[in-house]
Amino acid sequence: MQNEIINLLKREEKFSEKTIEELREIEINDFAEIIKEVGQQPTEHIVREEILNGLDTEVIGKELYVFKEVMSTNTVAKFLSENGAENGCAILSEKQSNAKGRLGKAWESPLGGIWLSIIIKSQVPHSKLPMITLTTGVAAVKALERIGITNAEIKWPNDVMINGKKVSGILTEAITKFNTIENVIIGIGIDANFDVNVLSKELQEGTTTLDIELGHRVDENEVVRCFLEEFEKIAFAFNDNKFEEILKEWRKYSYSIGKIVEVREPFSKSYDAYVLGISREGALVVEKIDGTLEKVISGECIIKK
């Protein structure tokens, strides 16, 4: 991980090659402080001060670092979570060069998008991790409502859709020690202001952006601020075990319920099913062709109709 952080410093172009090599020898805590300093330097498109100005949260985003380009904000978040970052710390980057989405898929992150990770320092039970992803999806939809998007929906387990096209994806990762979850990293990407033609061909048709849907460019800093505020509200509900309230909201925004899907689970044959709903644990409840019910905990569901 330290090599990736060093690559981050190279991309920021604030250090000479000699200085970079010297950084490899310094203490890890000092190294983390340098990363934090870089994350407070001026950037062009996503501006730290504009996000913090008027941010109405108690915890989420109060510690905030913004970079010009990193390989992955989740990786930077993991590093900082183990080296002095506070609960609710947020890491943003104007671009990502080698980010990964769910199931190891490439996560294309050009300039004009919002690439954000949040550090949650909480010993969340393993069984509740799927709920964190669902919770983040609800926060994303509510944030988009605040900027004028009234028809966003959540596709189980981790995508936000507008008019049947993906506008946002979520990746939740746990940092564990001795089988105990110490920190959770929540990564979210929101396609804000860029031409979808910059994406690989296989993604272009199924992707939309906020500026396409609204007909004008959006203020990326405003979107970030709205998301951080909505995430904190629903995170408090999560911490208070108000899971039924969260699931009620998720069901209201669901893109998946009522659809015919192809279910693809690890180490199992794929099958077609009808989506009935969501369980208390965040699993998708489906009815197979033979009438049997299944709970889909992991994997993916490809919408067929």
Side-chain angles (χ1 to χ4, degrees), residues 180-191:
T180 299
I181 295 176
E182 293 199 338
N183 300 315
V184 177
I185 309 300
I186 301 165
I188 182 169
I190 302 174
D191 301 332

Side-chain angles (χ1 to χ4, degrees), residues 52 55-64 85-90 118-121 228-229 231-233 235-236 239:
L52 292 173
L55 179 65
D56 185 16
T57 62
E58 295 179 23
V59 178
I60 303 299
K62 288 300 187 181
E63 183 179 2
L64 180 70
E86 298 293 330
N87 180 41
C89 174
I118 299 174
I119 298 169
I120 301 298
K121 289 181 171 287
L228 293 175
E229 290 174 356
F231 181 83
E232 178 167 282
K233 291 176 188 175
F236 284 169
N239 288 337

Side-chain angles (χ1 to χ4, degrees), residues 201-233:
K201 288 190 178 297
E202 60 267 27
L203 294 181
Q204 290 174 14
E205 184 176 349
T207 298
T208 190
T209 63
L210 300 182
D211 63 340
I212 289 174
E213 299 300 328
L214 290 171
H216 60 79
R217 292 182 64 84
V218 298
D219 182 341
E220 295 156 19
N221 301 298
E222 179 187 5
V223 176
V224 172
R225 190 165 55 249
C226 289
F227 173 75
L228 293 175
E229 290 174 356
E230 294 300 327
F231 181 83
E232 178 167 282
K233 291 176 188 175

Side-chain angles (χ1 to χ4, degrees), residues 26-44:
I26 70 173
E27 292 291 330
I28 197 73
N29 289 338
D30 293 335
F31 192 82
E33 290 304 313
I34 292 173
I35 299 303
K36 292 177 183 179
E37 289 177 13
V38 173
Q40 297 177 72
Q41 298 302 309
T43 45
E44 183 177 354

Side-chain angles (χ1 to χ4, degrees), residues 77-88 118-126 129 132 173-186:
K78 290 175 192 175
F79 175 78
L80 291 181
S81 73
E82 298 174 333
N83 293 281
E86 298 293 330
N87 180 41
I118 299 174
I119 298 169
I120 301 298
K121 289 181 171 287
S122 175
Q123 293 187 349
V124 179
H126 284 270
L129 284 176
I132 293 179
E173 297 185 279
I175 299 175
T176 61
K177 289 185 178 179
F178 306 110
N179 294 321
T180 299
I181 295 176
E182 293 199 338
N183 300 315
V184 177
I185 309 300
I186 301 165

Side-chain angles (χ1 to χ4, degrees), residues 6 22-23 37 43 66 69 71-72 109 123 130-132 139 142 145 179 220 238 240 256 284 300 304:
I6 288 174
E22 290 173 348
L23 286 173
E37 289 177 13
T43 45
V66 181
E69 180 179 347
M71 294 177 71
S72 164
S109 315
Q123 293 187 349
M131 279 293 298
I132 293 179
K142 287 185 172 295
E145 285 181 339
N179 294 321
E220 295 156 19
F238 182 94
D240 291 339
S256 302
L284 201 67
E300 57 182 330
K304 302 191 74 172

